[in-house]
């Protein structure tokens, strides 16, 4: 990679090291790392805040391997200020938010200029840090993978999560009917306030039974971060030619119940698609960011879309406590990690 003369001059005023959070023996620790230098078409950002994602908690305990060539510093999103660039799209001082493959739990990061978005009008940098991974994941699940259509019914599991609250709003905006599932009535009330037509508390009775007994009856598209423990219920609740998009395994990798699962899926003419975002190619992620920017960024600025932030936030040094909090499933919306 080349380093531009402009960046070389800018870098003279930057520190050479930074605080960064890495995983050691299943725990998060603050380490000292070199401040990275941007490569071709990359931008250096001074991070003001990042946010916690389920993938981060899995990476911490060794259940989500870091993709080849990606830093071991955790963090899949951030917001901050541009302090150096080898690209043409951004200049020093621009307030930006971005999608990362890693490196968000730090004071500085480099990022391809095509993965950055401007901070929406009216949002602080702390709020903006909770937008990229959540909203881009939700947009990918619905539009790039799930191919949602107007008039369809979409079941959104973990509706109180960051992705769940974003997907609810995006699905409603696409003209779909949203069925939200969650484990507390409080989370379901939030989902309904965002446009969900029906909320199902899986702790009161099987959610698929509740759906089948409702006026809605079944699902055309299911967004599922749970996996194994919901497999049988997903197929049971699926309409003919339904689509099940799997993007997590919070309920384990083993289908429950395993018997005749494929037979039932076949009978429904159903489609199961498993997807991730972190390991996608750079061109794919660039196209996702561009599509989201064109269709949805203005709706964040004008208030049509409302990111949901948890009542708790943490500092970089409290990253371990933030993970432990998320692992209790108590959060509603994004948990923010303040860097500076």
């Amino acid at each position: 990679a080349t380093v531009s003369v402009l960046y070389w001059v800018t870098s003279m005023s930057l520190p050479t090291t930074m605080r960064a959070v890495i995983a050691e023996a299943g725990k998060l620790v603050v380490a000292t790392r070199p401040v990275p230098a941007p490569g071709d078409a990359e931008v250096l950002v001074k991070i003001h805040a990042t946010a916690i994602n389920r993938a981060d908690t899995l990476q911490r305990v060794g259940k989500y391997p870091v993709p080849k060539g990606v830093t071991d510093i955790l963090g899949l999103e951030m917001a901050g200020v541009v302090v150096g660039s080898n690209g043409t799209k951004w200049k020093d001082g621009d307030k930006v938010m971005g999608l990362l493959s890693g490196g968000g739990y730090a004071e500085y990061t480099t990022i391809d200029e095509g993965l950055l978005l401007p901070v929406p009008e009216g949002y602080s940098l702390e709020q903006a840090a909770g937008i990229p991974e959540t909203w881009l994941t939700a947009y990918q699940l619905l539009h790039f993978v799930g191919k949602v259509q107007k008039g369809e019914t979409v079941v959104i599991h973990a509706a109180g999560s960051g992705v769940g609250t974003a997907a609810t709003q995006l699905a409603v905006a696409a003209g779909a009917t949203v069925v939200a599932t969650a484990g507390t009535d409080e989370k379901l009330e939030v989902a309904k306030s965002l446009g969900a037509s029906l909320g199902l508390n899986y702790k009161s009775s099987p959610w698929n039974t509740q759906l089948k007994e409702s006026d809605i009856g079944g699902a055309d598209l299911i967004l599922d971060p749970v996996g194994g423990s919901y497999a049988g219920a997903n197929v049971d609740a699926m309409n003919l030619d339904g689509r099940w998009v799997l993007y997590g395994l919070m309920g384990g990798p083993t289908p429950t119940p395993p018997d005749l699962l494929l037979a039932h899926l076949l009978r429904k003419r159903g489609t199961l698609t498993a997807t991730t975002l972190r390991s996608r190619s750079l061109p794919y992620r660039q196209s996702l960011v561009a599509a989201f920017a064109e269709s949805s960024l203005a709706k964040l600025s004008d208030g049509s879309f409302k990111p949901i932030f948890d009542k708790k936030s943490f500092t970089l040094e409290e990253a371990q406590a933030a993970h432990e909090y998320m692992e209790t499933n108590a959060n509603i919306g994004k948990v923010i990690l303040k860097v500076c």
Side-chain angles (χ1 to χ4, degrees):
T2 60
V3 177
S4 70
V5 173
L6 178 61
Y7 171 69
W8 183 83
V9 172
T10 302
S11 68
M12 298 295 287
S13 62
L14 295 173
T16 57
T17 61
M18 64 180 184
R19 293 176 301 141
V21 174
I22 60 173
E24 290 185 354
K27 297 291 185 180
L28 297 181
V29 297
V30 178
T32 300
R33 289 291 179 86
V35 172
D40 294 336
E42 286 189 338
V43 172
L44 178 66
V45 178
K46 179 176 175 57
I47 299 175
H48 282 245
T50 182
I52 309 297
N53 289 282
R54 286 283 175 185
D56 302 338
T57 65
L58 295 174
Q59 180 179 328
R60 189 194 81 238
V61 296
K63 293 183 178 180
Y64 196 147
V66 178
K68 185 178 180 180
V70 173
T71 177
D72 64 341
I73 299 170
L74 282 79
L76 301 178
E77 59 192 332
M78 60 81 207
V81 177
V82 173
V83 294
S85 175
N86 274 330
T88 60
K89 296 181 179 180
W90 307 95
K91 65 182 185 303
D92 286 6
D94 285 345
K95 293 182 178 180
V96 295
M97 57 186 187
L99 179 70
L100 300 167
S101 294
Y105 292 18
E107 294 181 288
Y108 294 88
T109 192
T110 55
I111 181 173
D112 181 88
E113 63 179 358
L115 300 181
L116 284 173
L117 292 161
V119 171
E121 185 177 347
Y123 285 78
S124 68
L125 288 170
E126 285 184 17
Q127 292 172 322
I131 293 174
E133 174 71 13
T134 290
W135 284 79
L136 288 166
T137 295
Y139 191 90
Q140 179 208 21
L141 296 173
L142 281 167
H143 294 286
F144 277 42
V145 182
K147 307 295 185 184
V148 65
Q149 300 296 314
K150 183 177 181 180
E152 290 189 320
T153 295
V154 181
V155 167
I156 297 175
H157 292 316
S161 68
V163 172
T165 55
T168 296
Q169 296 175 74
L170 287 166
V172 170
T177 297
V178 172
V179 176
T181 77
T184 71
D185 291 339
E186 181 183 7
K187 291 182 178 182
L188 294 174
E189 286 304 314
V190 170
K192 290 177 182 178
S193 75
L194 298 175
S197 298
L198 180 64
L200 307 177
N201 188 330
Y202 62 80
K203 291 185 178 179
S204 61
S205 64
W207 69 266
N208 52 308
T209 301
Q210 295 180 61
L211 176 57
K212 291 169 66 178
E213 291 176 350
S214 73
D215 292 338
I216 294 174
D220 301 301
L221 175 62
I222 299 171
L223 305 187
D224 177 24
V226 180
S229 62
Y230 272 11
N234 284 337
V235 177
D236 180 56
M238 188 184 291
N239 290 331
L240 281 176
D241 300 310
R243 289 104 64 208
W244 166 15
V245 176
L246 177 68
Y247 69 101
L249 294 172
M250 292 166 55
T254 304
T256 304
D259 297 341
L260 300 178
L261 178 67
L262 293 180
H264 292 156
L265 187 64
L266 182 63
R267 189 175 301 119
K268 293 288 183 77
R269 299 196 302 262
T271 301
L272 167 59
T273 304
T275 185
T276 60
L277 180 53
R278 186 181 192 181
S279 60
R280 295 280 189 173
S281 69
L282 178 58
Y284 179 98
R285 287 177 287 136
Q286 289 172 330
S287 67
L288 175 63
V289 170
F292 176 79
E294 182 178 355
S295 68
S296 304
L297 194 59
K299 294 180 181 179
L300 287 167
S301 295
D302 69 17
S304 299
F305 288 156
K306 298 177 176 64
I308 304 299
F309 303 100
D310 191 70
K311 59 187 177 183
K312 284 193 174 185
S313 62
F314 298 81
T315 65
L316 194 65
E317 286 75 16
E318 297 171 325
Q320 177 65 35
H323 276 214
E324 292 171 357
Y325 173 66
M326 174 172 272
E327 288 168 334
T328 67
N329 293 323
N331 64 296
I332 299 178
K334 293 296 291 192
V335 178
I336 300 298
L337 205 60
K338 295 179 283 187
V339 177
C340 66

